[in-house]
Structures are given as structure tokens and as C-alpha cells.
Amino acid sequence: MCPHTVHAVIAVKTLESAKSRLAGVLAPPLRSRLVLAMLTDTLRAAGAAPEIASITVVTPDPAVSRAARALGAAIHPEPRGIGTDPDGLNTALSAAATALRSRHGEVGLLALQADLPALRTAELSAVLATAPAGTRAFVADHAGTGTAALLAPPGSGLRPRFGRDSAHHHHGDGAVRLRGDWPGLRHDVDTADDLAAVQALGAGPDTAALLDELGWPHRVREPVTQVC
């Protein structure tokens, strides 16, 4: 894909509902801070790639909107009536993709996960250079079952299938699986082990600062007040 022709879309749900699988190690306020830190590190890394013409974040959360705008991202409101989509992610990404093409024409699209704190700009540039022209493509996550990034060239619908076994679903829908050494791109964060892995890879500045503040890898929870 040629430089400056790819428009990225990222979906983020409300902070209070994000990263529930980390509830055993981080209290809700800390999970909210972590989500914002990982998002801002993802936005910085992606936004620095010369191939990225714009980034649009789809979210209903005001704090997410403020953080994304501060880094130059556009905000698309989360669509109403998400139908059968379990968490609205695919509906949100599709809505943003439609809006982008309505505004810019038949541009290339990139759907990217919001929790890639170890993402390196060079990794994203390498993926975009590797993607075959005229074909939808995706990068599987570190487990090989999820999807870290989905690419749609001009003239092809994004057709996101994020969720359980999304790599299988994207491949079944005609997208080509891209293979390369992109550990930062592949490593999203759902569990404490994932968080330790991105810390080992080298998290971005906001995530690294928060983990340092928390004394990670010690698993931190806010103290529970006992009622007598």
C-alpha cells in the first residue's frame, strides 16, 4: 500500500467495562488508567507511521475521546443499536470505515486493536509494505487465534470479524494471513501474563510509567475496607 493512503480505525468501549479479565489483579480505577495508557501508546506508535493518513477512534467514553483527540485522532460516536454484535466492536469499526470512505473516497483501511502498548512504528510500516495489493489481509495475535490488525484495500469492504477465533473468521472471509516478526503488533493485553509479556517487550511510555508506578509485576489491588 502506498504511503498516506491508509486510514486507521480503532474501537474502544467504556473504561468501566474494559479489561474485565484483569479484575483479579487490578481494581477498576487502575484498569481504566491502564486502558487509556495502552491506547495512547498505540496511537503514538501508529500515528508516527508515514503510511497512516489518519486515525479514527470509535468510543462512547468522554475520557477516551479527550485522550485520543489530544494525540490528533478523530472521534466517531459509537453507533446506536449494535444488534447481535456481542460488544459492538465490529459494528463500531464498520460504521467508522463507512464514514471515512464517505469523507475521503475509496481509501485503504486498517482496523487496529486499541491495546498494543508494545507496538513499534516500524512493525506497522512493515505490515503495510507486506500486504498484497488489492487483497484484504490480517495479522493474527500472539496466540494465533485472534486478530491484531485487519487491512482492506481501496474498493474492498473492511468486513471486521473480531471476537472469538477472529483469525479463523477473517481467513474464512477471504482475508490473507500476513506472517512476520512483529511481536509488538501481535501482543494485545487481556490477562496479567499478557501485561508481563508487553512489559518484557518494552511497553510505550505511558504504559511503562503506569506499570512502574504500580510496582508491576507485583499484582496490585486497592485495599478492601472491611465493614464490622
Side-chain angles (χ1 to χ4, degrees):
M1 293 188 180
C2 297
H4 307 296
T5 60
V6 181
H7 294 255
V9 292
I10 296 174
V12 185
K13 51 189 174 183
T14 57
L15 292 178
E16 63 183 17
S17 63
K19 297 304 168 193
S20 59
R21 292 173 65 185
L22 287 169
V25 293
L26 292 176
L30 296 178
R31 295 202 306 273
S32 295
R33 290 179 61 193
L34 177 64
V35 170
L36 281 177
M38 292 192 297
L39 172 65
T40 54
D41 285 334
T42 302
L43 288 172
R44 284 196 191 93
E51 299 87 353
I52 302 296
S54 74
I55 302 177
T56 297
V57 174
V58 190
T59 184
D61 195 293
V64 172
S65 296
R66 288 193 295 271
R69 283 196 180 101
L71 291 173
I75 303 300
H76 187 85
E78 186 176 69
R80 297 175 181 269
I82 60 174
T84 58
D85 191 6
D87 62 7
L89 175 62
N90 295 313
T91 301
L93 292 171
S94 295
T98 298
L100 278 167
R101 284 186 168 165
S102 176
R103 189 178 310 123
H104 299 291
E106 281 296 324
V107 294
L109 298 172
L110 166 68
L112 195 64
Q113 294 281 24
D115 55 345
L116 303 173
L119 175 66
R120 301 292 187 265
T121 300
E123 292 178 325
L124 195 53
S125 292
V127 167
L128 295 172
T130 301
T135 302
R136 287 171 67 245
F138 71 97
V139 177
D141 66 5
H142 63 283
T145 57
T147 302
L150 174 67
L151 287 158
S156 177
L158 186 63
R159 302 201 303 276
R161 302 288 187 270
F162 287 91
R164 187 178 181 85
D165 295 325
S166 63
H168 171 76
H169 294 304
H170 285 133
H171 180 70
D173 193 37
V176 174
R177 182 169 181 158
L178 302 178
R179 302 182 185 276
D181 185 23
W182 309 307
L185 173 61
R186 293 186 187 278
H187 226 114
D188 56 341
V189 174
D190 289 314
T191 67
D193 287 342
D194 293 336
L195 201 50
V198 297
Q199 188 177 36
L201 285 171
D206 287 354
T207 305
L210 178 58
L211 294 178
D212 184 62
E213 176 188 333
L214 297 179
W216 197 267
H218 298 295
R219 297 182 176 186
V220 179
R221 288 204 61 137
E222 291 185 345
V224 177
T225 303
Q226 302 229 347
V227 179
C228 299

